[in-house]
Amino acid sequence: KEKPNKKPANIAATRPQQGPRPQTADGDITLTVVGPSTAKITTGSGRIEVAGAQSTLEASTQSGELQIKAEPHGDWLLNSISGTLRLDLPPVFKANLDASTDSGTLQLDRDDLPTQPNPRHVIQKINAGGPNIHAHTDTGKIVIR
């Protein structure tokens, strides 16, 4: 007996209630204006998009892409095994950045982030510091713009 083809589940929410914890194996997750509590987001090979995170954000993906378009108001913990982490940050913001990759690529496309001596790890206090942004990938890519 053949198994039916299952499409991956996609999750989308605008202004989700406090503490969203969406999780999908291979589907995409899109959250817009995440409220004032911890958001925990996990996917396997799907894409995660977050806009307007207003508090703590924990997001991880195995091989999918994680894209954050927000200003950090709380700490962020972003992880990927082989996917791409893209952080689109506002022109002026305050944060303590710790971004690293074991064997992937770290791309800094901002004038306020100087070139680092270690091309796979940056620790930088931005505009006198603020919330912590910790981004790590094993073999993937981190892009900060």
Side-chain angles (χ1 to χ4, degrees):
K1 186 175 178 181
E2 276 188 48
K3 292 183 180 178
N5 287 338
K6 286 189 173 183
K7 290 181 88 176
N10 294 325
I11 301 168
T14 301
R15 297 188 185 279
Q17 292 185 358
Q18 291 188 0
R21 298 180 189 277
Q23 182 173 346
T24 181
D26 297 316
D28 296 338
I29 300 171
T30 304
L31 299 176
T32 307
V33 189
V34 178
S37 65
T38 300
K40 293 187 179 184
I41 307 161
T42 306
T43 188
S45 62
R47 177 182 171 103
I48 299 173
E49 290 183 54
V50 178
Q54 297 178 355
S55 193
T56 301
L57 174 64
E58 295 178 24
S60 63
T61 179
Q62 289 180 5
S63 61
E65 181 173 324
L66 170 59
Q67 182 167 354
I68 310 294
K69 287 185 172 184
E71 178 176 349
H73 294 285
D75 293 345
W76 293 355
L77 180 58
L78 314 171
N79 289 293
S80 170
I81 293 173
S82 62
T84 299
L85 305 179
R86 294 186 191 281
L87 306 180
D88 292 319
L89 301 166
V92 178
F93 68 101
K94 294 182 177 189
N96 300 315
L97 175 66
D98 183 352
S100 62
T101 178
D102 292 338
S103 62
T105 305
L106 179 59
Q107 180 179 332
L108 305 176
D109 293 339
R110 296 184 59 99
D111 292 337
D112 56 354
L113 294 176
T115 305
Q116 299 295 314
N118 182 342
R120 291 199 175 111
H121 193 189
V122 61
I123 297 176
Q124 181 75 37
K125 190 176 280 197
I126 302 166
N127 295 319
N132 296 309
I133 299 175
H134 177 79
H136 179 78
T137 181
D138 292 347
T139 61
K141 181 176 187 178
I142 299 175
V143 179
I144 302 174
R145 326 180 239 204

